[in-house]
């Protein structure tokens, strides 16, 4: 006769079933890989921060000149956001000049609210990434051809209202 409860290993819910053990092993491997990746990203971020601190110290002491390069093009969204926040903070504290539009420079008094409205914003600033994203959203919009068709029809009606 067969032995008691050995049939339970063949049930789909049993933890000792080989397929279940394999799935647990795969999930543990995936979790370990994810933890390793997160650790590498943390180390990379820490290294980048240290490097930027050293460069800033060198620039402050005069050992290094600030060079205008194209690094801003390759900066991540997080870095661009930090830079925009720094510029905004400089504008609010008065360290940087607020650039006024030509119509405001005529000697008229500008209220504080108008000055704040003229400050650069991360969201309103036209960065290459935001321009590309805007273009992609506009041209990949499924309703865009329908909207154009409606506008063309309205234009035809305006041109010749008798054919209504």
């Amino acid at each position: 006769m067969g032995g008691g409860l050995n049939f339970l290993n063949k049930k789909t819910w049993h933890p000792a079933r080989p397929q279940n053990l394999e799935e647990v092993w795969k999930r543990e491997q995936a979790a370990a890989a994810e933890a390793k990746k997160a650790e590498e990203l943390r180390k990379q971020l820490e290294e980048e921060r240290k490097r930027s601190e050293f460069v800033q110290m060198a620039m402050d002491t005069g050992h290094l000149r600030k060079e205008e390069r194209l690094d801003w093009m390759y900066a991540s969204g997080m870095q661009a956001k930090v830079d925009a926040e720094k510029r905004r903070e400089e504008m609010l504290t008065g360290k940087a000049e607020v650039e006024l539009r030509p119509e405001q420079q005529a000697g008229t008094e500008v209220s504080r609210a108008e000055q704040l409205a003229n400050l650069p914003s991360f969201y309103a600033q036209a960065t290459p990434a935001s321009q590309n994203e805007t273009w992609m959203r506009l041209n990949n919009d499924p309703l865009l051809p329908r909207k154009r068709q409606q506008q063309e029809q309205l234009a035809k009606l305006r041109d010749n209202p008798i054919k209504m």
Side-chain angles (χ1 to χ4, degrees):
M1 293 230 171
L5 299 174
N6 286 339
F7 71 94
L8 289 177
N9 286 0
K10 297 179 177 138
K11 299 294 182 183
T12 58
W13 47 264
H14 198 275
R17 182 174 177 233
Q19 288 88 352
N20 290 345
L21 291 174
E22 181 183 359
E23 188 176 332
V24 167
W25 179 80
K26 285 181 181 177
R27 287 185 183 183
E28 287 174 349
Q29 293 298 316
E34 187 176 332
K36 183 178 177 183
K37 185 177 180 181
E39 182 65 22
E40 287 177 7
L41 287 174
R42 188 192 60 78
K43 285 181 182 179
Q44 183 182 9
L45 183 61
E46 184 67 29
E47 186 177 305
E48 186 179 324
R49 285 181 182 163
K50 284 182 182 179
R51 190 179 319 116
S52 66
E53 287 176 9
F54 288 140
V55 168
Q56 186 63 36
M57 277 195 297
M59 287 188 333
D60 290 344
T61 57
H63 295 293
L64 183 66
R65 288 187 323 193
K66 182 177 181 182
E67 296 179 10
E68 294 296 324
R69 299 182 357 187
L70 298 177
D71 292 340
W72 60 270
M73 286 183 8
Y74 305 107
S76 65
M78 185 172 68
Q79 182 65 32
K81 198 171 195 178
V82 169
D83 291 343
E85 186 61 34
K86 282 182 184 177
R87 285 193 305 272
R88 185 174 189 278
E89 194 64 36
E90 287 175 357
M91 293 290 188
L92 289 174
T93 57
K95 293 180 183 176
E97 286 292 323
V98 177
E99 295 178 11
L100 297 176
R101 287 177 276 180
E103 63 268 9
Q104 293 177 341
Q105 292 178 356
T108 59
E109 284 295 317
V110 179
S111 70
R112 182 74 175 148
E114 288 175 348
Q115 286 178 350
L116 288 176
N118 290 331
L119 290 177
S121 170
F122 175 71
Y123 300 107
Q125 207 167 24
T127 61
S130 67
Q131 289 174 348
N132 287 342
E133 185 177 344
T134 304
W135 186 86
M136 290 293 289
R137 283 185 181 175
L138 179 65
N139 288 325
N140 291 335
D141 186 8
L143 295 178
L144 183 65
R146 179 72 180 134
K147 271 289 205 202
R148 285 185 180 159
Q149 185 181 18
Q150 288 176 351
Q151 289 175 351
E152 288 172 3
Q153 289 174 352
L154 284 173
K156 285 180 185 178
L157 285 176
R158 286 188 199 120
D159 292 342
N160 193 357
I162 297 173
K163 288 188 177 181
M164 282 177 63

